[in-house]
Amino acid sequence: MRIAMIGTGYVGLVSGACFSQFGHDVICVDVDENKISRLKKGEIPIYEPGLDKLVSENAAAGRLAFTTDIAEGLKGCDAVFIAVGTPTRPEDGHADLKYVFAAAEDIARNMDGYTVVVDKSTVPVGTARKVYERIAQTNPDADFDVVSNPEFLREGAAIDDFMHPDRVVLGGEGERAMSVMRKIYEPIAAETKIVETGLESAELIKYAANAFLAVKISFINELADLCEKVGGNVGDVAVGMGLDSRIGEKFLQAGPGYGGSCFPKDTLALAQTATAQGAPVRIVETVIDVNSRRKRAMADRVAEACGGSLSGKTVAVLGVTFKAETDDMRDSPALDIVPALQNMGAVVRAYDPQGMDEAAKLLNDDVQWMAGAEEAMGGADVAVIITEWREFRELDLQKVKSLLKDPVIVDLRNLYEPADMVASGLRYHSIGRQAV
Ligand code: NAD
Ligand code: UDX
């Protein structure tokens, strides 16, 4: 199969590289000339484990190419995937579809014979039909179908998620398009559940899954707060709940609130769509509110751990990305926590293994960016772990004690056992467990 991927970001680049690994001929198209020229030179514009090797091997094998020229991309292709961004529209919280529609019109003008147009971007229910109309209006002679094939990969584990997905969802109408989609996923079909459904259901599955996971995380986060009040341990509660196969153990890790490029924007977009349709999703609306408040409240925990005030205190922030193994800063809890610490009078010194370049653009100039965790902690009053990077799980605790002025650690990811911290002489505050 010959595939064009429109949009070469976190999803487009991973999907394109993985499809080429399946054996298809893939050409990735982007309007960002700098991104494409870097990719042509073999440079990977994002941090995603394993992606550099996958891209270089498939490019060398002649199955993966990059271009800014959509006409070149669409030449002779069987399917074109739209994998452009669908960020929150600031004025009303709906998903902004301007990039999707621009891509659809570009595709319409450059289509070369029968083509399946695939929405891989996360788009509100009803969008596939609008994409169909845009293309038909722009090029009345176009021979095409539109399919919805939402993507469920997680950053940091993107390649494994794409190659071994829990399921592939294919929403469409008509055998001609669906048979192309089945051929595309044929290399993993034997071990993968493929859900074939209508356009609307496929679009809703994506939002339903993300919103449900956001609900699960917010549930355990609120239980964590209750554990702190009553002497419980949220880790034990999560294990005990998760062993019930109807609940499942995943996504019950209490923390500073969910962030990232998907959960915050997708919960908001689903709530807006549902309200506009007269079928509000109140649970999701509540979760959005709970999560926003939680991120802001994390700075108060740091102040409490320091005796109530952060005025004049130096805070070492370990990790700023929204999760480990990515350089993505979109909607990271750190973007709420760091300014809140500064507003309380703290001097912030921060370190992140991959996210500092992007974070420096989004946080104010007063943040001091450090070369490592130990550099950040040297002479600081308190250390706050925001992201669960492996290197923060393996700190030399005696060294930490000697580096910090007042040996206080606020661990928003529960990376350590409280007993180990007591044994090391550190004062330790975590989530959903008793401070020691
Ligand atoms: P991204 O911002 O990383 O990448 C989007 C890319 O599209 C950019 O490189 C941009 O230059 C390019 N682009 C925009 N308009 C274009 C056009 N007309 N022609 C060609 N290229 C164009 O976005 P992302 O994180 O990859 O997300 C893409 C979509 O996938 C979103 O709808 C998102 O919700 C969804 N999604 C993302 C993830 C994730 O983990 N990031 C997971 C599942 C689904
Ligand atoms: C998410 C979805 O999981 C994925 O299916 C979708 O395609 C894109 O959005 P991603 O944002 O990459 O993936 O990361 P994920 O691992 O889901 O984490 C999202 C946020 O939830 C992070 O801030 C993470 O720290 C937080 N989280 C996750 C928790 O706080 N607790 C958990 O138990 C799991």
Side-chain angles (χ1 to χ4, degrees):
M1 291 267 122
R2 186 170 159 83
I3 293 172
M5 188 65 62
I6 311 297
T8 310
Y10 286 84
V11 165
L13 182 55
V14 171
S15 307
C18 289
F19 280 144
S20 66
Q21 180 71 16
F22 287 0
H24 303 311
D25 283 324
V26 179
I27 182 150
C28 291
V29 183
D30 206 290
V31 287
D32 184 336
E33 287 179 9
N34 179 44
K35 202 175 258 191
I36 293 298
S37 84
R38 287 182 66 189
L39 283 161
K40 281 183 168 171
K41 282 186 262 170
E43 289 171 27
I44 305 297
I46 55 169
Y47 177 75
E48 178 63 44
L51 191 55
D52 45 359
K53 186 167 175 277
L54 194 69
V55 168
S56 66
E57 284 176 2
N58 283 288
R63 289 190 297 263
L64 181 61
F66 302 96
T67 184
T68 52
D69 179 359
I70 189 162
E72 182 193 345
L74 290 192
K75 222 174 197 49
C77 84
D78 300 288
V80 51
F81 285 73
I82 300 177
V84 300
T86 47
T88 300
R89 203 159 62 188
E91 59 272 25
D92 58 14
H94 279 283
D96 191 341
L97 294 175
K98 66 173 181 253
Y99 304 109
V100 170
F101 292 143
E105 288 171 12
D106 272 354
I107 290 168
R109 285 188 284 266
N110 292 284
M111 217 180 263
D112 180 31
Y114 176 73
T115 310
V116 180
V117 179
V118 189
D119 282 347
K120 188 156 266 309
S121 295
T122 303
V123 288
V125 57
T127 303
R129 291 192 196 280
K130 289 185 187 152
V131 165
Y132 187 93
E133 281 163 25
R134 289 276 175 139
I135 296 174
Q137 276 162 11
T138 310
N139 177 359
D141 297 328
D143 184 14
F144 72 103
D145 284 299
V146 176
V147 165
S148 167
N149 170 220
E151 182 48 55
F152 299 93
L153 64 79
R154 288 161 304 160
E155 291 177 16
I159 294 169
D160 197 49
D161 282 353
F162 196 96
M163 302 299 262
H164 309 284
D166 287 344
R167 78 305 208 183
V168 166
V169 173
L170 301 178
E173 291 160 355
E175 189 48 32
R176 197 179 179 196
M178 292 305 251
S179 67
V180 170
M181 295 308 295
R182 282 183 216 118
K183 271 192 209 140
I184 290 173
Y185 282 100
E186 214 274 322
I188 55 165
E191 72 268 16
T192 306
K193 289 192 179 120
I194 302 209
V195 180
E196 292 196 15
T197 180
L199 290 168
E200 284 74 17
S201 299
E203 291 170 330
L204 281 171
I205 286 168
K206 176 64 200 173
Y207 282 98
N210 272 2
F212 192 83
L213 292 168
V215 170
K216 206 170 171 187
I217 296 167
S218 287
F219 182 84
I220 202 67
N221 282 341
E222 289 203 309
L223 258 289
D225 292 349
L226 179 58
C227 283
E228 287 169 25
K229 299 272 187 220
V230 300
N233 178 326
V234 74
D236 294 344
V237 174
V239 169
M241 278 174 70
L243 285 170
D244 185 327
S245 60
R246 295 169 301 175
I247 297 173
E249 65 191 330
K250 293 182 181 160
F251 279 66
L252 285 176
Q253 179 67 48
Y258 61 77
S261 67
C262 292
F263 287 171
K265 85 170 169 63
D266 293 346
T267 45
L268 207 52
L270 176 62
Q272 296 298 358
T273 300
T275 300
Q277 295 293 334
V281 283
R282 297 216 178 82
I283 290 176
V284 179
E285 288 170 14
T286 302
V287 161
I288 294 166
D289 182 47
V290 164
N291 195 62
S292 304
R293 286 170 197 269
R294 181 168 192 84
K295 291 200 262 187
R296 292 196 295 267
M298 290 299 113
D300 298 332
R301 285 177 176 256
V302 182
E304 277 162 35
C306 292
S309 169
L310 287 177
S311 185
K313 297 257 164 74
T314 298
V315 180
V317 165
L318 305 188
V320 289
T321 53
F322 78 97
K323 61 186 274 191
E325 299 299 335
T326 181
D327 57 356
D328 200 340
M329 280 297 300
R330 287 178 282 184
D331 271 312
S332 174
L335 296 175
D336 288 296
I337 300 170
V338 170
L341 295 170
Q342 291 175 319
N343 285 339
M344 287 187 231
V347 172
V348 173
R349 281 195 210 155
Y351 165 70
D352 187 281
Q354 294 292 338
M356 292 198 287
D357 288 348
E358 189 57 24
K361 295 181 205 156
L362 301 170
L363 292 166
N364 69 34
D365 292 342
D366 294 335
V367 177
Q368 298 169 20
W369 296 101
M370 310 303 286
E374 292 189 356
E375 286 82 347
M377 287 189 285
D381 294 277
V382 53
V384 184
I385 300 172
I386 298 184
T387 315
E388 72 283 18
W389 286 98
R390 182 187 291 269
E391 63 181 87
F392 304 148
R393 294 178 193 272
E394 295 165 351
L395 296 172
D396 174 344
L397 296 179
Q398 287 309 322
K399 187 84 188 283
V400 170
K401 190 179 173 213
S402 69
L403 288 168
L404 290 171
K405 252 194 259 171
D406 191 13
V408 182
I409 294 205
V410 180
D411 176 2
L412 303 180
R413 297 287 185 168
N414 289 359
L415 302 188
Y416 289 93
E417 283 306 318
D420 295 340
M421 302 308 257
V422 174
S424 304
L426 290 157
R427 290 191 0 246
Y428 182 62
H429 299 253
S430 55
I431 300 283
R433 306 182 296 189
Q434 306 313 297
V436 290

